[in-house]
Amino acid sequence: ELEAMRAIGVGVARLSPQSSHMPEIVGIVHAVLSGALPAGAALTRMAALMPAAPCNGFWHGQPGLSWQAA
């Protein structure tokens, strides 16, 4: 959702902290924002690092823990 956020002028996004892999996740998000990594590839990399399934429901007006594919 980073490109959609950028398009509407969002300047700050919060990453939900987790007890492990945060440096790697921050690096992946930075790579997407700098154009070095496509969002789809970033999601694949991050999925292996997250303790639970990804969620973006709130962004799409759905329950927050749900997932809406791009």
Side-chain angles (χ1 to χ4, degrees):
E1 315 302 342
L2 293 173
E3 285 303 317
M5 290 179 185
R6 184 181 279 169
I8 62 169
V10 173
V12 176
R14 179 184 180 273
L15 300 178
S16 295
Q18 56 187 46
S19 61
S20 59
H21 306 297
M22 274 312 292
E24 293 93 335
I25 290 173
V26 169
I28 292 168
V29 172
H30 183 266
V32 171
L33 291 172
S34 68
L37 184 66
L43 180 60
T44 299
R45 288 186 190 180
M46 286 196 315
L49 303 173
M50 293 186 286
C55 58
N56 64 358
F58 184 79
W59 178 259
H60 293 282
Q62 302 297 317
L65 291 177
S66 68
W67 175 253
Q68 302 293 315

